[in-house]
Structure formats: C-alpha cells, structure tokens
Amino acid sequence: RVIGHTALPKATVYDAIERLHGDGLVHVSSELRNRVVSAIDPSVLLEQHESRRQRLNETLPLLKALFHRAQGKPNIRFYEGSEGIETALWDSLSGDSAELLSCFSMEELSVHPGMDRIHDYLTERVQRNKLLKVVRTQSKDLYQVWPSSHRELREVRYTPPDMVLAMTFVIYGNSVALLSSSKECYGMVIDSEEYASLMRAMFAGIWQMCEPTPYVD
C-alpha cells in the first residue's frame, strides 16, 4: 500500500524504510505476509543526538591526548570542580607505567574528592599492580592512614617540618596529574615528556630530603 501511494519504485521505498529503521524512526514488524511499518516520535532524534554528543564529550579528551602524543606535542587537559579533581586523579592509573611518583595533600584530598573515593583509588591502584612512592606533609595528614606497606605497594616519606606541600600531584609515564586545593578546585593533566621529566627530577630531589617511614608489613 505504501508503495502504491508514493508512486515510487519498490527498491527506493525499501531503501528509505531501511534507513529510517536504522535511525530508529520507524518500527518494522510482520503480519501474515505483509511488512507493517509504523512511525516513531521524531523527538527520538534529539535523544540520539544528545547521547552521541555525551559519548563524544567523554572520549574527546582521550582522543586529543592520543593525537598530541602521536604528534610529539604537549597536551593540557583542564577539569573544573570536584569531579574534575577526581577525573585527573583517576587518569594517573591509565597507561602502562608501573610506578607512580606523587605528593598527596591529605587535608585537601579529604575534601575533594573525599576519603571514600581516595580509598577506592588506592584499592584500584593495588589491583593494577602500580607501586606508589608518595611524599606527604605531616601537618596536612588529618588521619593516621595509608602508611608504607609492601602488601599495598606503597612507600611513604614525610617532608621536613619547614617544607609544606599543600597540592597533590602524580607523575606517571609522560603525564602529570595536578590536583588543586579546595579553594581553587580544579584538576589538570599535562601530557608532556619534557615536563614529566622535569617533575621527576624535582621529585627525586624532594624524595632525598624527606624522612623514610617504617613498613607496617
């Protein structure tokens, strides 16, 4: 009937129906020997567009990072708010680097992203078999948590009393994740071989000045 009403060639109608069906705009079913085509609310197009846009927004930072790495260029990813801090922190678990060099400001991390999420991060790190060498400042430690541990792949050192490190950073591979204080509330990831090398050299100097802590296991 549809073909007869449109006066279009059968192949043209079938192709159009297949495209509409692929776009989710029509429903096709069978009744006896006939194909029944029924229209679907076209507002579904807006929903599909929003879904695609959201997926693109989620993957775009990674695609940009891969592009810049392939081009040998530095790449800076900036994330606002508490979610941005968490995004930057969890990015440090990406890649194949087996060792993370870091400074943790526990006072700030207890606010954003919060101790529960930090615990989840540390658990995931151990599951991925990544060693954490971390510098902390005792005056910024609100809780007696996460000491040096062979089982939890963590080595902790404390800064001298006159050296207060109030910002969190993690060096991994050719990337550095920076987590601001709750006052400025942002996370940032810098993908740069040269910058990561500089940060490693600075970390090595700080590490030598810091006090080792005993292992609990």
Side-chain angles (χ1 to χ4, degrees), residues 82-114:
S82 181
E83 291 184 357
I85 289 177
E86 185 172 338
T87 297
L89 177 64
W90 280 80
D91 191 84
S92 67
L93 296 180
S94 64
D96 55 4
S97 178
E99 181 180 74
L100 310 181
L101 308 178
S102 68
C103 167
F104 274 17
S105 176
M106 301 307 298
E107 181 178 20
E108 298 298 339
L109 292 173
S110 67
V111 179
H112 300 295

Side-chain angles (χ1 to χ4, degrees), residues 45-60:
L45 286 174
L46 293 177
E47 297 175 3
Q48 292 175 352
H49 173 73
E50 179 61 27
S51 177
R52 293 191 186 105
R53 187 185 68 82
Q54 184 175 348
R55 290 198 299 270
L56 180 59
N57 284 339
E58 291 172 352
T59 58
L60 193 57

Side-chain angles (χ1 to χ4, degrees), residues 132-177:
L132 178 71
K133 298 178 72 171
V134 57
V135 170
R136 302 204 317 239
T137 298
Q138 283 188 308
S139 63
K140 293 293 182 179
D141 270 12
L142 300 183
Y143 314 97
Q144 296 297 319
V145 293
W146 300 310
S148 293
S149 169
H150 294 293
R151 182 173 59 84
E152 296 182 355
L153 304 175
R154 179 174 52 246
E155 183 177 358
V156 180
R157 291 192 178 187
Y158 281 113
T159 63
D162 60 345
M163 182 188 292
V164 178
L165 301 177
M167 189 170 180
T168 293
F169 65 81
V170 185
I171 308 166
Y172 53 107
N174 290 327
S175 299
V176 180

Side-chain angles (χ1 to χ4, degrees), residues 90 93 119-129:
W90 280 80
L93 296 180
H119 177 73
D120 293 341
Y121 167 84
L122 296 178
T123 299
E124 181 66 22
R125 175 186 59 77
V126 174
Q127 290 178 351
R128 298 191 188 191
N129 199 37

Side-chain angles (χ1 to χ4, degrees), residues 159-211:
T159 63
D162 60 345
M163 182 188 292
V164 178
L165 301 177
M167 189 170 180
T168 293
F169 65 81
V170 185
I171 308 166
Y172 53 107
N174 290 327
S175 299
V176 180
L178 302 166
L179 283 61
S180 78
S181 66
S182 56
K183 178 181 179 181
E184 297 188 357
C185 204
Y186 69 85
M188 182 165 58
V189 176
I190 301 177
D191 304 306
S192 166
E193 183 178 358
E194 292 183 359
Y195 183 71
S197 178
L198 172 64
M199 289 293 290
R200 274 196 183 83
M202 294 177 62
F203 179 87
I206 295 172
W207 185 257
Q208 292 301 318
M209 298 170 60
C210 291
E211 177 185 356

